[in-house]
Amino acid sequence: MTVQQANPKDTLQNKRLITRAAFFGLFLLAPVLNIFRYDLTEARFVLLGFPLSFNLNLDWVVQSSPADVASQVLLWFILPILVLVPLVLWVAWKWGRIYCGWLCPHFSVVETINGLMTRMTGRPTLWEALKKGRRGKVIHWAGLTLVCGLIGFSWALAMLSYLLPPIPLYTDLVTGNLSFYPAIFLTIATLVFTLDFLFARHLFCKYGCAFGVVQSIAWMTHGRGQLVTFDTTRAAACRDCTKACDEACPMRLPTRSHKRAKFSCTQCLQCVSACREVQKNNPEGSLLHWQPGEPSRQTILIPVRQLTTGPQRDSKPVSSQA
């Protein structure tokens, strides 16, 4: 078997780039194309170009019986929630925070700015030690702040377009006729997003994102959930590596540790791709793999005593107390 056969070209990150770019485009364009938004001016949702009032306007409610109103609420609000929430939890239970790693627009920004900051200053976040000989010049920090500000403004504008009719909003912005409250919203939201992208990117994903934490909790309850595993039998192959897997992780996690140490893993698999690159000339391939876990003390949220510890205990009958 040749090295090329043992180590085929890694396409994981190319696949992620496609899904992330497509979802990021959808995030920005959904309001403009009337795919989905909430129109504050008319107090109704818009889905695929159609207004969704759910027949719950005040006139209809006054003229209808309580049973009709209850049926509308059940059909359009309660039932979708009862279907959507279990589906999201099941996906997270099985694959972890795969939404975060493969779709989430915020995590795409985290990875982008991490890479940009590493190239400019020698470290992916402000909270890590500088590498020897790398400090970053003033122009680099100014450029980084400008990039974060531009991305923050685009996010603020996108969020506002989910609440106000997008085309009139953009027209008022370009012509300088933006009204007071939208201008205040854009100013404050741009500042908040800029500070987030500059100082707290992965920290927000770890501790501030409620949706991410819920996914992590669901994933940690499944001992066989998909995760990055480390081949400990070949640990000696890491001897000459400069911790490329840990350096590649946008969430700054110990990628070769147990599952509970990677509670906030986003399944982006950058650690796997980094290990594949380091071990590309090794016929045995990468030491990191994305595969179902094995139930143990380290693969569930709350460690429990193992019911079976060996074949002798399995075969031994349980003695009853007198």
Side-chain angles (χ1 to χ4, degrees), residues 4-26:
Q4 286 75 18
Q5 291 174 322
N7 298 293
K9 184 178 179 180
D10 181 34
T11 60
L12 274 176
Q13 300 311 314
N14 290 334
K15 293 176 181 176
R16 285 187 61 243
L17 179 61
I18 294 173
T19 59
R20 288 161 54 219
F23 198 81
F24 198 91
L26 179 63

Side-chain angles (χ1 to χ4, degrees), residues 21-310:
F23 198 81
F24 198 91
L26 179 63
F27 165 71
L28 294 177
L29 296 177
V32 180
L33 300 177
N34 276 334
I35 296 175
F36 176 78
R37 63 186 179 90
Y38 180 78
D39 194 336
L40 276 177
T41 61
E42 298 185 7
R44 66 184 183 185
F45 287 96
V46 176
L47 179 65
L48 299 177
F50 296 98
L52 295 179
S53 62
F54 306 132
N55 286 333
L56 293 179
N57 58 71
L58 183 60
D59 294 336
W60 182 85
V61 170
V62 170
Q63 297 174 3
S64 302
S65 67
D68 290 337
V69 174
S71 64
Q72 288 292 99
V73 172
L74 177 65
L75 178 64
W76 294 108
F77 289 97
I78 307 300
L79 197 59
I81 292 174
L82 292 177
V83 172
L84 185 60
V85 171
L87 177 62
V88 170
L89 291 177
W90 178 80
V91 170
W93 178 77
K94 189 172 180 64
W95 288 286
R97 294 175 65 165
I98 195 167
Y99 166 80
C100 299
W102 290 73
L103 296 176
C104 179
H106 184 273
F107 193 70
S108 296
V109 175
V110 170
E111 292 183 274
T112 301
I113 298 181
N114 276 13
L116 186 62
M117 184 177 287
T118 300
R119 290 193 295 272
M120 286 184 169
T121 68
R123 55 179 174 176
T125 74
L126 290 172
W127 314 116
E128 297 185 29
L130 284 167
K131 293 183 179 179
K132 187 176 181 179
R134 297 292 300 276
R135 290 190 177 277
K137 299 179 180 179
V138 174
I139 190 173
H140 292 154
W141 290 107
L144 187 65
T145 303
L146 177 62
V147 169
C148 291
L150 291 175
I151 298 177
F153 175 76
S154 68
W155 267 62
L157 186 59
M159 297 298 291
L160 189 57
S161 68
Y162 275 89
L163 302 175
L164 298 177
I167 302 303
L169 172 65
Y170 297 154
T171 302
D172 291 344
L173 181 65
V174 172
T175 59
N177 295 321
L178 198 63
S179 58
F180 177 74
Y181 289 110
I184 290 296
F185 178 92
L186 283 179
T187 302
I188 296 176
T190 298
L191 178 61
V192 170
F193 284 130
T194 300
L195 293 176
D196 170 41
F197 297 149
L198 193 59
F199 296 104
R201 297 180 302 279
H202 71 289
L203 298 177
F204 173 80
C205 294
K206 275 186 175 182
Y207 308 114
C209 179
F211 183 51
V213 172
V214 168
Q215 291 179 86
S216 292
I217 293 174
W219 178 57
M220 290 299 297
T221 62
H222 188 198
R224 297 188 183 277
Q226 201 85 358
L227 79 157
V228 175
T229 60
F230 175 56
D231 187 354
T232 56
T233 62
R234 298 174 50 218
C238 295
R239 186 180 302 133
D240 299 326
C241 179
T242 58
K243 297 183 179 180
C245 53
D246 292 345
E247 291 293 328
C249 178
M251 297 292 281
R252 322 313 294 157
L253 301 175
T255 57
R256 290 167 290 177
S257 187
H258 52 76
K259 183 176 179 179
R260 279 192 285 121
K262 299 183 288 186
F263 175 83
S264 55
C265 175
T266 61
Q267 315 298 330
C268 69
L269 307 184
Q270 289 210 50
C271 56
V272 175
S273 296
C275 188
R276 287 179 178 178
E277 178 61 25
V278 171
Q279 303 294 334
K280 62 183 178 182
N281 294 322
N282 186 339
E284 295 184 84
S286 172
L287 285 79
L288 295 178
H289 305 280
W290 195 47
Q291 60 189 17
E294 293 294 333
S296 71
R297 289 173 176 266
Q298 308 298 348
T299 58
I300 54 177
L301 184 61
I302 302 175
V304 296
R305 181 175 63 86
Q306 296 294 300
L307 297 179
T308 59
T309 57

